[in-house]
Amino acid sequence: MAESVASGPCIGILALQGAFEEHRKIVQELGARTVEVRLPDDLDKDLDGLIIPGGESTAMAIVGARHGIFPKLKAFVQGGKPIWGTCAGMILLSNRAIMQKAGGQPLIGGLDVEVCRNFFGSQVSSFEVLLQLEGAAAAGSLGSRGPVSAVFIRAPAILEAGPGVEVLARVKATPCAQARHCVEEVYREQQKQREELLQREGRPSAPPPSVPTAASEDGARGRGRSGGEKTCMEREEDGRMEVVVAVQQGHLLATAFHPELTPERWWHQYFMSMCSQQAQTASKK
């Protein structure tokens, strides 16, 4: 098991499968110490944060179950230290996921979002775009900056987010046919809940909007949850959809793309700043 000896924050890299080596090299270049996390005890090594890399989420779940690490990962999420899930890591951190393989897969959970697995299609549909940052990413501790490059490879997309989830970036792209079908089912269920809410409150029924909205103020979103949720998708006339691809919920960061595959280091710097701030706060207690 690889462990570095740099002097910066100590970042764990979940090393069950996927692009953990690429993340490890980048955070070490930025001055962090790293620990490759494979077994439950690896999470006890005084980590300041954890990266769950991209790869194959089903394979990660299978290997993680074999090593018995999932209960410890779920406890680590509840512990409050920063965790960053990229691509497959975003899926594993999500509370809900659709378009899973037959039989489903275990999720670590903790991030109050619903994701659509493999929203953008197969590997031949991979693409790179510039993302305009929003929220804390646009005006955080690293200061304001222009668009950031992002690589999407068999990537998920966020369809719904709870009220405590902040959107950091969106993208407009054409979903694969299976994802479009799943999205339509989600949308029909949202509209059904919307009508049920109007009936319970005695308000007149209103015609549903022709497209999903990027945010909702009524409590009918969220597939049976408590209300206040927002949808994170909006149709375009050319068949594309605008979907959310980066979010933050307190100490949890998730990106649908692969920041480790671009020369830019912005997202790694952003996560390391989260880890440093958390470590400083903990040291004052």
Side-chain angles (χ1 to χ4, degrees), residues 205-241:
S205 178
S210 59
V211 297
T213 56
S216 171
E217 294 181 356
D218 63 51
R221 310 292 184 183
R223 306 179 66 144
R225 291 182 285 152
S226 60
E229 295 82 3
K230 48 184 174 290
T231 59
C232 298
M233 54 189 173
E234 186 171 2
R235 289 198 201 103
E236 299 290 316
E237 292 182 358
D238 59 3
R240 296 185 301 165
M241 282 188 172

Side-chain angles (χ1 to χ4, degrees), residues 42-66:
D42 294 333
L43 292 167
D44 296 328
K45 296 189 174 181
D46 200 23
L47 304 178
D48 295 309
L50 176 70
I51 296 176
I52 305 176
E56 171 50 58
S57 61
T58 305
M60 289 184 188
I62 292 172
V63 176
R66 186 182 304 148

Side-chain angles (χ1 to χ4, degrees), residues 143-173:
S144 61
R145 63 154 295 154
V148 179
S149 180
V151 175
F152 290 81
I153 304 174
R154 298 181 64 211
I158 294 175
L159 303 185
E160 292 185 328
V165 178
E166 182 177 16
V167 174
L168 303 184
R170 312 168 198 255
V171 71
K172 292 181 180 179

Side-chain angles (χ1 to χ4, degrees), residues 14-263:
L14 189 65
L16 301 177
Q17 188 268 347
F20 59 89
E21 181 66 17
E22 289 83 353
H23 282 288
R24 184 184 67 80
K25 290 179 179 178
I26 292 171
V27 294
Q28 285 182 2
E29 289 172 4
L30 295 174
R33 294 170 290 138
T34 60
V35 173
E36 291 185 2
V37 175
R38 292 186 175 89
L39 301 173
D41 289 349
D42 294 333
L43 292 167
D44 296 328
K45 296 189 174 181
D46 200 23
L47 304 178
D48 295 309
L50 176 70
I51 296 176
I52 305 176
E56 171 50 58
S57 61
T58 305
M60 289 184 188
I62 292 172
V63 176
R66 186 182 304 148
H67 290 179
I69 198 173
F70 264 64
K72 201 71 170 283
L73 283 170
K74 292 181 179 181
F76 194 88
V77 168
Q78 299 301 319
K81 291 185 178 181
I83 303 176
W84 177 21
T86 69
C87 197
M90 169 188 275
I91 296 172
L92 291 174
L93 274 182
S94 302
N95 283 348
R96 300 167 303 283
I98 63 174
M99 245 178 76
Q100 297 190 45
K101 293 183 178 179
Q105 67 177 81
L107 299 175
I108 298 168
L111 184 64
D112 189 14
V113 299
E114 179 176 73
V115 301
C116 180
R117 190 179 181 274
N118 197 20
F119 181 86
F120 301 99
S122 65
Q123 191 153 337
V124 297
S125 301
S126 303
F127 61 97
E128 183 173 1
V129 295
L130 290 174
L131 298 179
Q132 188 66 48
L133 301 176
E134 303 179 32
S141 59
L142 300 182
S144 61
R145 63 154 295 154
V148 179
S149 180
V151 175
F152 290 81
I153 304 174
R154 298 181 64 211
I158 294 175
L159 303 185
E160 292 185 328
V165 178
E166 182 177 16
V167 174
L168 303 184
R170 312 168 198 255
V171 71
K172 292 181 180 179
T174 303
C176 69
Q178 186 180 2
R180 184 177 294 278
H181 175 73
C182 289
V183 167
E184 292 295 338
E185 288 187 348
V186 171
Y187 181 51
R188 283 193 293 269
E189 185 174 338
Q190 289 170 354
Q191 295 311 311
K192 178 182 177 181
Q193 292 180 0
R194 179 174 180 270
E195 288 300 312
E196 291 174 350
L197 178 68
L198 291 174
Q199 291 177 11
R200 288 197 303 270
E201 295 182 350
R203 290 189 285 165
S205 178
S210 59
V211 297
T213 56
S216 171
E217 294 181 356
D218 63 51
R221 310 292 184 183
R223 306 179 66 144
R225 291 182 285 152
S226 60
E229 295 82 3
K230 48 184 174 290
T231 59
C232 298
M233 54 189 173
E234 186 171 2
R235 289 198 201 103
E236 299 290 316
E237 292 182 358
D238 59 3
R240 296 185 301 165
M241 282 188 172
E242 181 180 75
V243 288
V244 170
V245 293
V247 295
Q248 184 173 346
Q249 180 184 344
H251 65 290
L252 302 179
L253 176 68
T255 56
F257 43 89
H258 288 265
E260 77 280 4
L261 298 182
T262 70

